[in-house]
Amino acid sequence: MNKSLKPISLADALASYTKSELDQIRRDYKIKGISQLNKRDLVPKLAELLPKKLAPNFATMDEGQYKLFKQAMNNQGYLSALGFGAGRADALFYKLIWFPIDIDNKPFLVIPEECMQVFRTIDSPTYVKQVKQNSSYITLTRGLLYHYGALSVRDLISHVERLTGGSFDFTYYIDVIHNAALYYNDIQFAASGLADWRVEDPEALLRTIQSRSDLAFYPYTKEQIVQAGEENYLAINKPLRAFKSYMQKNYTINEEEIHDLLDEYLSMTKQDIPLQNMVRMFITEFEVNSEQIIQEVVALFVAINNNSPKWTLKGYVPIQLRKNPSNVVDMKTYTKTGRNQPCPCGSGKKHKQCCGK
């Protein structure tokens, strides 16, 4: 504990905000009868009334947030914000749990004393069990969306019931996932369902999935879904390993960069983005000085396409659905590009005028 740090009051934290921002807080928390107050009078009134409304904000915490909160409470409510994503800080402020503050030109997040007191009243073995359940919901949802891309509300309920062994409080569950989406920024809320953060057009993907009513979702096990729900998870199959080896052999690229690159190309494959777009992106990002490199990269992308699960196929690999050959690319015909044909890089030029020179 840093004894030089002193707890701050909720009034002190609110005093740094404008009258407009305070009015928005008042509206968000549905506090009536004080709209006419000026800032000087509004700050203490909000500080008096808000603690009574903050308990639900702690209900959706997951284990990561709980750990940070306990850490801060052991340090007079302060937590260093160095390396703390701005989006996560904003999500915590949105719930009026943490507030940003600078101390000696260093960024901190601080929990006002009143907020810590609210937390002390609810922190118990029962609450810790609830926090663990929240984390489980978040992990399952991330894993489902990693494998399926997007799910309608109906399909989401069906999957979660299957994985948790029965019915559940859907309204509470959505509150937990909404909190996670704000904090981690890896889940999208669409008009008719939820989507993985990598999905470029959630509604279009949801329509595609719904159009395949004759195709059941690929039956991933709970273990596979939980594994995919971990942060920074990446399912690397044989074609992706081959592409990774190719990149490490021919280009200077570190582990973090290759992880992000594989994740990006795999997500493009999952949502059936044309191979030409992938080739075009590769040419933009890496040096390509021969037709041979183009052909090698195309062959690698074709293997990834044919052997990786597709969101548009409800989690199936194209070659598993032999009745739908349109999703399987013939590597021989795809890679042999005539000189007068469009270049596979997607430039719009003839092959002989572009990468086939």
Side-chain angles (χ1 to χ4, degrees):
M1 178 185 295
N2 189 333
K3 295 182 179 180
S4 66
L5 296 174
K6 303 296 182 183
I8 71 166
S9 69
L10 184 55
D12 289 337
L14 293 171
S16 63
Y17 293 90
T18 66
K19 173 65 163 60
S20 176
E21 290 170 330
L22 294 173
D23 281 334
Q24 187 59 54
I25 291 172
R26 173 183 57 79
R27 288 189 290 270
D28 288 345
Y29 282 85
K30 297 180 174 59
I31 298 176
K32 299 179 180 180
I34 59 173
S35 60
Q36 76 283 1
L37 297 181
N38 58 34
K39 178 182 175 179
R40 185 182 63 182
D41 296 328
L42 183 57
V43 166
K45 198 63 179 176
L46 283 174
E48 174 192 344
L49 298 174
L50 278 171
K52 302 172 185 177
K53 294 179 173 288
L54 293 182
N57 290 352
F58 293 98
T60 57
M61 267 192 180
D62 70 351
E63 291 175 292
Q65 293 169 336
Y66 179 84
K67 182 179 179 181
L68 287 176
F69 206 91
K70 296 287 280 190
Q71 181 182 337
M73 288 187 66
N74 289 329
N75 193 38
Q76 304 286 9
Y78 291 83
L79 184 73
S80 173
L82 290 173
F84 204 92
R88 295 189 178 187
D90 289 345
L92 293 171
F93 168 67
Y94 174 79
K95 290 179 169 289
L96 298 185
I97 294 175
W98 308 71
F99 291 80
I101 189 173
D102 284 342
I103 301 175
D104 297 330
N105 294 319
K106 295 180 181 179
F108 281 80
L109 295 172
V110 60
I111 308 166
E113 178 60 38
E114 293 91 336
C115 298
M116 289 193 286
Q117 185 55 43
V118 172
F119 181 79
R120 291 186 189 103
T121 65
I122 63 174
D123 192 19
S124 66
T126 300
Y127 176 67
V128 171
K129 184 178 180 181
Q130 179 181 345
V131 167
K132 291 182 178 179
Q133 177 64 68
N134 295 346
S135 293
S136 176
Y137 279 150
I138 294 167
T139 299
L140 289 176
T141 305
R142 278 201 197 114
L144 286 167
L145 296 177
Y146 181 87
H147 284 305
Y148 300 126
L151 289 169
S152 67
V153 171
R154 184 179 63 181
D155 288 333
L156 185 63
I157 291 173
S158 176
H159 283 294
V160 175
E161 285 181 340
R162 174 177 68 87
L163 295 168
T164 58
S167 60
F168 62 103
D169 185 336
F170 183 72
T171 300
Y172 171 72
Y173 162 80
I174 284 296
D175 285 344
V176 171
I177 301 306
H178 184 257
N179 171 63
L182 287 172
Y183 187 73
Y184 295 106
N185 198 31
D186 57 2
I187 296 173
Q188 300 183 67
F189 274 73
S192 53
L194 271 62
D196 183 89
W197 68 272
R198 304 168 186 83
V199 176
E200 294 189 2
D201 190 338
E203 289 299 331
L205 178 57
L206 282 165
R207 287 193 297 271
T208 299
I209 291 171
Q210 293 304 312
S211 71
R212 298 184 180 277
S213 57
D214 58 331
L215 179 65
F217 286 95
Y218 184 84
Y220 289 104
T221 66
K222 184 173 182 178
E223 182 182 2
Q224 289 173 315
I225 290 170
V226 169
Q227 185 181 25
E230 299 298 328
E231 282 194 272
N232 299 315
Y233 174 78
L234 177 62
I236 301 183
N237 57 19
K238 186 175 180 180
L240 282 173
R241 283 195 295 271
F243 181 74
K244 179 179 180 179
S245 297
Y246 180 87
M247 294 301 297
Q248 291 174 326
K249 178 181 178 181
N250 293 282
Y251 296 94
T252 301
I253 186 167
N254 62 40
E255 282 295 326
E256 183 178 354
E257 290 170 336
I258 192 64
H259 179 280
D260 291 345
L261 188 67
L262 292 175
D263 188 52
E264 186 168 14
Y265 284 139
L266 181 58
S267 68
M268 293 174 74
T269 297
K270 285 181 173 183
Q271 48 200 316
D272 263 346
I273 291 176
L275 291 177
Q276 290 92 334
N277 293 26
M278 297 171 66
V279 175
R280 186 185 303 120
M281 189 177 83
F282 183 90
I283 292 172
T284 301
E285 296 182 346
F286 298 97
E287 182 179 355
V288 176
N289 52 24
S290 71
E291 180 183 358
Q292 180 180 349
I293 293 177
I294 290 289
Q295 299 294 346
E296 290 171 349
V297 169
V298 167
L300 289 165
F301 284 163
V302 167
I304 293 171
N305 177 81
N306 290 349
N307 295 278
S308 298
K310 296 288 190 79
W311 290 333
T312 52
L313 297 178
K314 293 186 169 182
Y316 285 91
V317 175
I319 58 176
Q320 292 175 321
L321 303 177
R322 294 293 185 181
K323 294 181 180 179
N324 186 7
S326 62
N327 292 101
V328 181
V329 178
D330 187 332
M331 186 170 65
K332 293 182 180 179
T333 60
Y334 189 88
T335 58
K336 292 183 178 180
T337 306
R339 287 179 54 76
N340 289 312
Q341 291 180 320
C343 186
C345 77
S347 66
K349 299 179 181 178
K350 289 184 178 180
H351 188 48
K352 67 182 180 182
Q353 297 171 336
C354 191
C355 299
K357 288 182 178 180

